[in-house]
């Protein structure tokens, strides 16, 4: 079991290291980590490079979680009783790779788009609920960080509801929440001070 977990974490991590926004930024002749929040993720791509870049980053970061989880679930370990747990470990590896890519000096994104991809590939019900919660919370508050933190909190709650009694799975899902809150420390501080950027605010590259 331990060997399979390690394999899933490594495969997930390597997939997660594909930094979509970094490559999109390079295609636009910038290092996105030097603009806006300095975060290599969807929100910063949206604010810095516009709607198309933000959408492509969201898609790329979600797919890099969805694809390896589907491969693990339906090809590699499809007949194992612990396949769902292994899929969850794969997703955890993806988020770790996204947040801390070795080839970018461990400076990546905050892992929310990847976490959304994990939830969707792991159990479509979790993905659907996460999408609704994120969309409604961002529409009401105009804070992407609020929606991001809410879906990270939703993950272990949903696992508790849909997979009652599976403590191992619950613990792993809670790690996604911890990672999200750690990466959103600055956002939480700005939310408390009322200085957090709202959705729609853009960064002018020429000002940097």
């Amino acid at each position: 079991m331990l060997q399979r977990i390690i394999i899933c974490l490594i495969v997930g991590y390597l997939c997660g290291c594909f930094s979509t926004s970094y490559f999109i930024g390079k295609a636009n002749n910038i290092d996105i980590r030097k603009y806006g929040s300095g975060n290599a993720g969807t929100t910063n791509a949206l604010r810095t490079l516009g709607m198309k870049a933000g959408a492509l980053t969201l898609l790329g970061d979600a797919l890099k979680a969805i694809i390896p989880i589907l491969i693990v679930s339906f090809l590699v370990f499809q007949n194992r009783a612990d396949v769902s747990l292994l899929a969850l470990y794969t997703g955890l590896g993806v988020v770790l790779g996204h947040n801390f890519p070795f080839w970018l000096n461990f400076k990546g994104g905050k892992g929310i788009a990847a976490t959304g991809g994990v939830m969707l590939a792991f159990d479509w019900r979790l993905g659907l609920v996460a999408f609704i919660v994120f969309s409604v919370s961002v529409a009401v508050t105009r804070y992407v960080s609020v929606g991001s933190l809410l879906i990270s909190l939703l993950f272990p709650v949903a696992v508790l509801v849909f997979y009652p009694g599976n403590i191992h799975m619950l613990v792993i899902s809670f790690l996604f929440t911890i990672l999200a809150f750690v990466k959103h420390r600055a956002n939480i501080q700005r939310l408390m001070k009322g200085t957090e950027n709202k959705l729609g605010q853009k960064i002018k590259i020429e000002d940097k």
Side-chain angles (χ1 to χ4, degrees), residues 108-196:
K110 296 179 181 178
I112 299 304
T115 297
V118 171
M119 295 174 76
L120 179 61
F122 171 68
D123 188 325
W124 68 269
R125 296 171 298 179
L126 273 66
L128 178 61
V129 175
F131 174 77
I132 294 172
V133 169
F134 181 84
S135 299
V136 172
S137 60
V138 173
V140 171
T141 67
R142 307 299 294 173
Y143 291 124
V144 174
S145 55
V146 169
S148 300
L149 292 170
L150 284 177
I151 66 170
S152 75
L153 286 169
L154 171 69
F155 205 162
V157 173
V159 168
L160 189 62
V161 172
F162 292 117
Y163 300 88
N166 196 321
I167 303 302
H168 194 164
M169 198 174 288
L170 179 63
V171 170
I172 301 306
S173 64
F174 188 62
L175 291 179
F176 287 87
T177 307
I178 294 174
L179 284 169
F181 271 76
V182 168
K183 293 295 285 187
H184 282 81
R185 295 189 306 277
N187 301 84
I188 294 171
Q189 292 175 357
R190 289 194 296 268
L191 284 168
M192 294 175 67
K193 294 177 181 178
T195 58
E196 175 74 327

